[in-house]
Amino acid sequence: MRGFERRGVRQYNRSDEPRMRWTEELHRQFIEAVDCLGGQDEATPKRILQLMGTKGVSISHIKSHLQMYRSSSSGSGSSNPPHASVNRRQDHCVDGNITHSISPPCQM
């Protein structure tokens, strides 16, 4: 094939965004937001970020975590989703607002 040259693997460009550690509490807020928005296939990073209302978390953090969450959820063949220990959205979601005992409800 003329005109086609394989150049190898493309260069990895590290993000300027600092790496973030997802604590259990942050992940719980993330799961509650995803559930409140109708599940992992309906939730969008922007709406998750708005519902979480957590300082220090950027949209790129949410995008990355949502991608990882979707891939780990779809790949598991178990009957229990990875967030089965978190209370269901009926307990936490009222009119698109998440309520939890630790932090105030997020306003939309």
Side-chain angles (χ1 to χ4, degrees), residues 33-35 37-45 47-48 66 70:
V34 168
D35 285 349
L37 293 168
Q40 66 184 11
D41 295 325
E42 299 294 321
T44 62
R47 295 285 291 153
I48 294 169
L66 182 59
R70 284 175 174 163

Side-chain angles (χ1 to χ4, degrees), residues 14-89:
R14 186 178 174 136
S15 171
D16 292 335
E17 202 65 40
R19 188 174 174 114
M20 189 186 85
R21 173 108 170 107
W22 282 83
T23 63
E24 286 185 31
E25 175 61 21
L26 273 177
H27 184 68
R28 185 186 63 77
Q29 289 177 4
F30 172 86
I31 297 300
E32 286 178 1
V34 168
D35 285 349
C36 186
L37 293 168
Q40 66 184 11
D41 295 325
E42 299 294 321
T44 62
K46 185 175 181 179
R47 295 285 291 153
I48 294 169
L49 183 63
Q50 290 171 337
L51 280 177
M52 284 180 66
T54 306
K55 293 196 186 269
V57 179
S58 71
I59 190 110
S60 62
H61 292 131
I62 300 292
K63 286 178 180 180
S64 175
H65 200 65
L66 182 59
Q67 182 180 26
M68 183 266 327
Y69 178 71
R70 284 175 174 163
S71 66
S72 68
S73 296
S74 64
S76 68
S78 69
S79 60
N80 292 331
H83 59 281
S85 62
V86 177
N87 291 336
R88 301 306 298 160
R89 71 173 168 239

Side-chain angles (χ1 to χ4, degrees), residues 90-108:
Q90 295 89 340
D91 299 332
H92 294 281
C93 186
V94 179
D95 294 330
N97 294 322
I98 297 177
T99 58
H100 15 112
S101 57
I102 296 173
S103 41
C106 300
Q107 299 297 319
M108 291 299 191

